[in-house]
Amino acid sequence: MSDARSAILAKMRSAMGRKADDVERKAAVADRLQRSPRGPLPARGQLPESERTALFQKMAEAVQASVVRVASRADVPDAISAYLKSKNLPATVRMGEDARLAEMPWSAQKHMEILKGRAENADLATVSHALGGVAETGTLMLVSGPDNPTTLNFLPEHHIVVLEEADIAGDYESVWARIRERFGKGIMPRTVNMITGPSRSADIEQTLLLGAHGPRALHIVIVDKG
C-alpha cells in the first residue's frame, strides 16, 4: 500500500474513532462478507412469476426495448428470423458458444447465416443469452465468456437477447445471488453487463439519441417457462 493511501485511510479511521488493529471490527467485516446478507428489497418486483414476467416486459418496453414471447426454445430461431425481416436486415446473426443457443433448431432457417465468436464491426445483429432479468427495471444481466462474448452486447446496431422466463427475478439482489451460486463464493466473471434498453444519450442539446454508445435497438426474446 502506498504512503499516500495509508495516510488517507489513517485520517478516515481517526475521524471515525477507529483503530487500525480493531480486531472486533475486522471480524464483523469478515462475517458480513462470508454471509452476503441481503439489504432491503423494493416491493415492486416481489410478485408471482406470471406478474413478474409481465412487469419485466412492461419496464423493458418503457425504455424502448422490443419484447416477444415464445413457447419454447425451439421457437427462438423463428422469432429471430421474423425480427430480422421486420427490420429489413440481412439474414445473418453472430453469437457465441452458448450451449442453450446451440441446441436450438437454427438449421430450420434455410436462409439464415449463423456466425460464431466475438462481434466484429461489420456485424449488424448479434444474439446473446442472458443470465437473468430484473423485473423491477426491465434490466438484462449478462456475464462475459466464450459462450456470450461481451462484444456481442455493444458492437452491433441490433442486439437480440434470449431470456428464460424462469431466470427473471424481481430484484437485482436475486440475480447477484445467482451469479455467486454459479461461479462460486468470491469469484466473479470478468464482466457483468447490466443492460436496460438500447444505448442512448441526450448529451447534445438534450435530444435523445439511440445508439450513441452501442446498439440502437434491443430485442428481447422471452422463452416461457411452460
Side-chain angles (χ1 to χ4, degrees):
M1 185 181 301
S2 68
D3 292 341
R5 185 179 180 188
S6 297
I8 292 171
L9 293 177
K11 288 183 179 180
M12 292 174 62
R13 283 193 294 267
S14 177
M16 295 186 295
R18 306 293 183 183
K19 297 180 179 179
D21 58 350
D22 190 335
V23 177
E24 184 176 335
R25 184 171 177 80
K26 286 183 178 180
V29 171
D31 177 66
R32 183 177 179 82
L33 291 174
Q34 179 61 36
R35 291 187 295 108
S36 301
R38 291 190 177 191
L41 298 179
R44 181 166 60 187
Q46 309 310 305
L47 299 167
E49 186 172 67
S50 60
E51 295 178 38
R52 194 163 62 234
T53 302
L55 176 62
F56 174 87
Q57 181 170 350
K58 175 184 175 181
M59 300 304 292
E61 290 174 342
V63 289
Q64 287 78 51
S66 57
V67 182
V68 65
R69 296 179 65 173
V70 297
S72 69
R73 290 181 180 179
D75 299 317
V76 170
D78 281 342
I80 291 177
S81 176
Y83 175 79
L84 297 176
K85 291 176 182 177
S86 72
K87 300 300 181 182
N88 198 30
L89 291 168
T92 302
V93 294
R94 185 181 293 277
M95 64 185 70
E97 301 295 336
D98 192 283
R100 295 159 296 185
L101 294 177
E103 292 174 354
M104 296 173 185
W106 299 100
S107 60
Q109 303 299 318
K110 301 299 183 182
H111 303 293
M112 185 182 293
E113 181 182 17
I114 308 298
L115 305 176
K116 293 295 186 73
R118 295 176 294 178
E120 299 179 359
N121 289 332
D123 294 330
L124 292 177
T126 58
V127 180
S128 301
H129 200 296
L131 179 137
V134 182
E136 62 179 343
T137 56
T139 298
L140 296 163
M141 293 186 72
L142 300 99
V143 295
S144 61
D147 49 349
N148 291 284
T150 294
T151 52
L152 300 177
N153 305 344
F154 299 109
L155 283 183
E157 291 204 5
H158 296 260
H159 187 205
I160 304 168
V161 180
V162 179
L163 172 64
E164 309 280 344
E165 182 181 21
D167 291 335
I168 298 176
D171 49 80
Y172 287 90
E173 288 81 358
S174 296
V175 184
W176 282 113
R178 190 180 306 158
I179 291 174
R180 284 193 293 269
E181 180 180 345
R182 174 175 171 180
F183 290 92
K185 182 72 175 178
I187 301 173
M188 291 287 286
R190 182 172 184 177
T191 305
V192 177
N193 292 126
M194 292 175 282
I195 299 174
T196 308
S199 171
R200 71 197 65 215
S201 174
D203 291 344
I204 302 175
E205 297 183 350
Q206 298 300 298
T207 300
L208 181 64
L209 175 67
L210 296 180
H213 309 294
R216 62 182 176 86
L218 174 65
H219 185 58
I220 305 170
V221 181
I222 299 177
V223 181
D224 288 347
K225 188 176 181 180

